[in-house]
Amino acid sequence: MATLADTFLADLDELSDNEAEIPADNNVDAADMDEDVDGDLADLENLNYDDLDSVSKLQQTQRYIDIVQKVEEALKKGSDVTIQGVDLEDDPEYQLIVECNALSVDIENEIVIIHNFIRDKYRLKFPELESLVHHPIDYARVVKKIGNEMDLTLVDLEGLLPSAIIMVVSVTASTTTGKPLPEEVLSKTIEACDRALTLDSAKKNVLDFVESRMGYIAPNVSAIVGSAVAAKLMGTAGGLSALAKMPACNVQLLGAKKKNLAGFSTATSQFHVGYLEQTEIFQTTPPPLRMRACRLLAAKSTLAARVDSIRGDPSGKTGRTLKDEIHKKIERWQEPPPAKQPKPLPVPDSEPKKKRGGRRLRKMKERYAITDMRKLANRMQFGVPEESSLGDGLGEGYGMLGQAGSGKLRVSVGQSKLAAKVAKKFKERSYGSSGATSGLTSSLAFTPVQGIELTNPQAHAHQLGSGTQSTYFSETGTFSKIKRT
């Protein structure tokens, strides 16, 4: 893997290539650029990447020293802040908070640079450690604790890492291909670890100072997420104005760390959650609803930050109102669904049906009236078992059918008046064939009363052979011609 020095040398090569592509006609700009590049090259060539002071310079700047000193004095003095009649932009306390926010970002970047320096040096000893411990401060603490020890069973890492990660680190260290570092390289690595821990301590002091002043700077955000989390959000975002301009989805991820579960279950691990995980609302929410609560917290915190950035509500009433809304929504999420209400039956129609009486209604009742056989099947005689279709009381019961003593299941049913009238009407009609004796005549007739009937086609011919009909419609008779004399 390329070291930090190789990376800078590659950048220098690209810089020289870009310098060669400058057009010749712009002599003034080219000359100025040559001077700048020569100055940068001189500075970069003077850098010694084996020396930590050449890489990390933040602690040597006067700005860092002054801000840290002011923060320590303010923490000793206390949080007595007078805000009456003083504009927020002109208040020196607010200006110090803004500088602290900017410094916290610089400290984060400086810690990353030192972390890369430590990894480059310690990779020869334990190359797998950087893939197991991702956080820079945890990595620095573990490197300082292990040192040049090859047997990690003699090193107590309890309190520095979770127990699961400690077990994985111990197992990996037993099979590593690394070798002990020289004393000079080890001393530089330990010095870099101390410097990273010192920067982390200074960052904590800065955040503590900002936290103590959050009730004055951002009262609404502090009312929702608390002063500690609000200070961390502001410090990571780079100030209250930067936090107000940030979308809610990015506020949710502020402070999120890359989690290495080392093959363990992800059921209880929360991903895509940063500092908002430390809020009281998030911790008191049931685990299945925590991601929804985190998104809601990020959205409301962004609104509160926008109110605080314009000093819209110094009393913090807006933040308390938003916090009450969050609590109500989370309580509403936990309510059981409403019980299914029984559907009431419709109101019975007690009014008489609007059906007129008369012959049609009587005929309809007679057509659908219950028969005598069905009446007997619906009755049961006391003390006498009824017969059934499958026997032994199984199947359809016959009731009192066949219990009159005859042993038959047939009951003589009287024909209704309507059926008799219909039968009489069909009998009056002639459904037989005509009296002709051609080859198309048939002795079968289809009637709706009895189905197929046998008839005599010659019967009608004998009836039509007498009287006047025989002269006009007789099949054997012909017209006669009478001669006049």
Side-chain angles (χ1 to χ4, degrees), residues 279-458:
T279 58
E280 180 185 359
I281 297 177
F282 185 90
Q283 296 297 329
T284 56
T285 304
L289 300 175
R290 283 184 177 178
M291 287 307 299
R292 295 179 63 186
C294 185
R295 287 192 290 268
L296 184 61
L297 271 172
K300 299 300 182 182
S301 301
T302 305
L303 294 178
R306 291 167 184 172
V307 174
D308 290 332
S309 63
I310 60 173
R311 305 298 295 172
D313 187 10
S315 63
K317 182 179 179 181
T318 303
R320 291 189 292 271
T321 303
L322 294 175
K323 185 177 181 180
D324 293 339
E325 292 181 5
I326 295 173
H327 280 296
K328 290 180 181 178
K329 283 191 176 182
I330 295 177
E331 290 176 358
R332 196 179 306 122
W333 293 344
Q334 302 179 50
E335 292 179 357
K340 188 176 181 180
Q341 298 294 333
K343 187 176 181 180
L345 296 174
V347 179
D349 189 8
S350 59
E351 297 181 359
K353 301 293 178 120
K354 296 181 179 180
K355 289 185 178 180
R356 68 181 185 85
R359 181 171 59 90
R360 184 179 302 175
L361 184 60
R362 288 195 300 270
K363 289 183 180 298
M364 189 263 295
K365 287 183 178 180
E366 182 183 359
R367 187 180 301 115
Y368 293 103
I370 187 170
T371 60
D372 294 337
M373 190 168 74
R374 180 54 60 185
K375 288 179 181 180
L376 288 176
N378 291 339
R379 293 177 185 173
M380 291 187 65
Q381 188 175 358
F382 180 76
V384 178
E386 66 172 353
E387 298 182 8
S388 59
S389 60
L390 299 179
D392 295 334
L394 301 176
E396 184 180 1
Y398 294 146
M400 293 182 64
L401 286 176
Q403 294 184 4
S406 61
K408 297 181 180 180
L409 297 179
R410 186 173 298 174
V411 179
S412 60
V413 181
Q415 192 175 13
S416 63
K417 296 180 180 180
L418 181 62
K421 187 174 182 181
V422 172
K424 184 179 179 182
K425 181 187 293 186
F426 281 116
K427 281 185 178 181
E428 290 177 354
R429 296 183 181 179
S430 176
Y431 288 95
S433 61
S434 62
T437 56
S438 63
L440 298 177
T441 58
S442 175
S443 60
L444 298 178
F446 296 90
T447 61
V449 180
Q450 296 183 0
I452 301 176
E453 293 183 356
L454 290 173
T455 58
N456 187 6
Q458 302 297 330

Side-chain angles (χ1 to χ4, degrees), residues 54-123:
S54 301
V55 179
S56 174
K57 298 181 178 180
L58 180 63
Q59 290 176 300
Q60 304 171 3
T61 59
Q62 189 65 31
R63 168 173 167 266
Y64 172 84
I65 299 173
D66 294 341
I67 294 177
V68 171
Q69 184 177 1
K70 291 180 181 179
V71 167
E72 291 178 355
E73 293 176 357
L75 289 176
K76 293 178 181 178
K77 187 186 302 183
S79 58
D80 296 334
V81 182
T82 57
I83 61 175
Q84 288 82 6
V86 180
D87 191 8
L88 183 63
E89 300 295 335
D90 300 333
D91 188 8
E93 198 81 17
Y94 176 76
Q95 297 296 331
L96 180 59
I97 291 175
V98 174
E99 292 177 358
C100 288
N101 290 328
L103 181 63
S104 63
V105 177
D106 295 339
I107 291 176
E108 283 285 347
N109 297 332
E110 191 75 10
I111 289 176
V112 172
I113 294 175
I114 297 176
H115 174 60
N116 293 332
F117 180 85
I118 298 173
R119 284 192 311 170
D120 290 338
K121 299 298 181 182
Y122 204 71
R123 188 177 289 124

